[in-house]
Amino acid sequence: PRGFPTKELLKLNRLIKELKKSENVTIIKGPLSPSSYSRIWDSIDILLLPYHPKSYDARVSGVFIDGTLRGKPSIVPNNTWLGSEVRKLEAGECFEYSQSRERTLLSIRSAMRRLEQKMRIHGIKDKLRFNAFYYKKQYCAESFISKIEKQIR
């Protein structure tokens, strides 16, 4: 992953190792071919993006946008652009990234349980479909060009 100092990367790798023990969790690392990338999206129920808040406080995530375009709920770190989007779209849950690996892991697990409950009890599929439609309008070439033109004027 980009944006992690060596010490933080070691912590992240330990966290990933711990998450691999969880039932029904698949960790995807490294580049994928376009066809593999599309196939993986078909198998994803929930997208977990354990980005470090220091690196993603105001950064956009292409993977998050792809997931939203495909109607996938996400679990993302709080106090980031991603967290703001998840709350605004009601499209997932946020977790607290802590200096403690154990607390971070507990927060991720808690977010997973909340999201699973929300999906089971409240049925958020219509909301996710609406978000996909909204993001297709928001993050298309025409919208991007329009925003640039407004900045130039």
Side-chain angles (χ1 to χ4, degrees):
R2 297 178 298 212
F4 284 87
T6 303
K7 186 177 177 182
E8 292 293 320
L9 188 56
L10 291 172
K11 286 182 184 178
L12 176 63
N13 286 332
R14 286 193 300 266
L15 179 62
I16 289 170
K17 187 176 179 180
E18 189 70 26
L19 284 171
K20 282 182 178 180
K21 296 175 187 175
S22 299
E23 188 178 316
N24 297 324
V25 172
T26 302
I27 306 293
I28 301 166
K29 292 173 105 177
L32 300 167
S33 69
S35 61
S36 294
Y37 188 75
S38 291
R39 266 194 315 278
I40 284 173
W41 280 111
D42 293 337
S43 69
I44 291 175
D45 296 315
I46 296 172
L47 184 62
L48 171 61
L49 298 171
Y51 295 138
H52 195 292
K54 288 180 185 173
S55 300
Y56 277 85
D57 62 333
R59 283 174 73 180
V60 175
S61 165
V63 175
F64 174 79
I65 291 172
D66 282 350
T68 303
L69 287 168
R70 289 172 167 85
K72 305 296 182 179
S74 298
I75 297 173
V76 301
N78 203 12
N79 301 316
T80 62
W81 174 85
L82 299 161
S84 298
E85 286 294 290
V86 160
R87 282 188 299 280
K88 177 177 81 176
L89 299 172
E90 299 174 10
E93 287 290 333
C94 296
F95 70 90
E96 295 298 327
Y97 197 98
S98 171
Q99 296 300 323
S100 161
R101 179 176 68 90
E102 290 77 21
R103 274 193 245 149
T104 299
L105 188 56
L106 283 172
S107 185
I108 289 172
R109 285 183 178 148
S110 176
M112 290 174 104
R113 283 192 296 274
R114 288 191 312 271
L115 183 55
E116 288 171 347
Q117 182 179 24
K118 189 184 290 184
M119 292 172 72
R120 193 173 47 251
I121 295 172
H122 302 291
I124 62 172
K125 290 204 182 279
D126 288 339
K127 187 69 168 165
L128 295 171
R129 275 193 290 277
F130 173 80
N131 292 340
F133 174 78
Y134 169 77
Y135 259 48
K136 284 176 186 164
K137 293 267 189 202
Q138 190 74 11
Y139 293 100
C140 66
E142 293 85 10
S143 176
F144 181 68
I145 291 167
S146 173
K147 288 174 187 174
I148 291 174
E149 287 174 339
K150 286 178 186 176
Q151 292 295 321
I152 293 171
R153 292 182 197 152

